[in-house]
Amino acid sequence: MNGTGESSRPDGDHSPLDGPSGQGSVNGGDFPSSGSLLGIDWGEKRVGLSLSDPLWRFSWPVEPVVRGRTGLFSAKNDPSLLKVLRSIIREEEVAGLVFGVPYYHLSGDTNPKAALFVNTGRDLSRELALPVFFWDEGLSSETARQDPSLKRPKQKPGKRIERDPWIDSRSAALILESFLTANRSSRKSGTIETVQNGKEDSES
């Protein structure tokens, strides 16, 4: 059971979005209550990644992956990305994915592109043979940019300001930490609890 009261599978008869833009839905089977998790901040050019420890105590960013092709994900067009992800999953014994989805704009309006992220997460779930939990990424990227402890040295005047390539993975770590914080206590009891729109649900 997921945070929206139902479990969705790759071959299920569900719409691309469950609940508010798919928030909290589990794809690819029941989500684990233990084991390392892989956080994903999806981007057209770069994919930010993070990992948790098996007990869900903390998360940390790992090196982001530059995609071979931009645009929507497909296994055919992203073999190098899948190779990296499978290597991480094997080495870190990853039990599930936490996929960040931008459900809302800064204005508070729903983001119509959220469906594309949910579909990408479902495709990854199929390719990697792991359950994926969709989690609101909120302002993770903006928070990662503004965190004073993560500021880069100032650029010299006239020099082109380069984008910090680790922004995406730090965002992935914030997404994963948000998920861990919301579910850490329920992990001990063998259930996943999700908080959505002020309501608390459980999956057993």
Side-chain angles (χ1 to χ4, degrees):
M1 192 79 78
N2 62 37
T4 59
E6 57 182 282
S7 177
S8 60
R9 298 174 180 274
D11 57 352
D13 238 353
H14 292 273
S15 68
L17 302 176
D18 300 316
S21 297
Q23 180 158 331
S25 62
V26 179
N27 195 70
D30 294 333
F31 202 77
S33 58
S34 63
S36 298
L37 302 178
L38 179 65
I40 299 176
D41 181 44
W42 184 263
E44 286 203 347
K45 297 181 179 180
R46 187 183 288 108
V47 178
L49 302 173
S50 63
L51 285 167
S52 81
D53 67 301
L55 298 180
W56 295 15
R57 294 170 298 185
F58 46 81
S59 65
W60 63 92
V62 296
E63 187 171 357
V65 180
V66 177
R67 295 182 59 198
R69 295 188 63 173
T70 60
L72 297 177
F73 167 81
S74 76
K76 182 179 180 180
N77 293 338
D78 289 278
S80 59
L81 171 63
L82 289 174
K83 182 178 180 180
V84 171
L85 294 180
R86 285 170 177 147
S87 176
I88 293 174
I89 289 167
R90 181 176 62 254
E91 293 175 6
E92 301 295 337
E93 299 182 348
V94 171
L97 312 175
V98 176
F99 195 93
V101 179
Y103 293 110
Y104 306 99
H105 292 301
L106 291 175
S107 63
D109 295 331
T110 56
N111 182 3
K113 291 186 178 181
L116 299 178
F117 285 81
V118 171
N119 287 335
T120 293
R122 289 180 170 175
D123 289 342
L124 279 177
S125 174
R126 293 187 187 95
E127 292 297 327
L128 301 175
L130 283 174
V132 58
F133 199 96
F134 299 107
W135 197 251
D136 185 5
E137 72 172 34
L139 301 177
S140 58
S141 296
E142 188 62 27
T143 301
R145 292 189 184 95
Q146 294 181 358
D147 188 335
S149 67
L150 303 176
K151 293 291 186 182
R152 305 183 82 192
K154 290 185 177 180
Q155 300 280 347
K156 294 181 179 180
K159 188 176 181 179
R160 182 169 177 258
I161 298 178
E162 297 180 0
R163 185 180 188 277
D164 184 352
W166 278 81
I167 282 289
D168 302 284
S169 285
R170 289 202 292 268
S171 297
L174 290 171
I175 291 168
L176 185 52
E177 182 59 35
S178 174
F179 173 86
L180 297 180
T181 299
N183 294 285
R184 192 173 284 121
S185 60
S186 58
R187 184 198 67 79
K188 297 178 181 179
S189 62
T191 62
I192 301 295
E193 295 179 356
T194 62
V195 179
Q196 303 180 70
N197 302 324
K199 297 182 179 179
E200 195 169 279
D201 299 303
S202 299
E203 68 175 33
S204 55

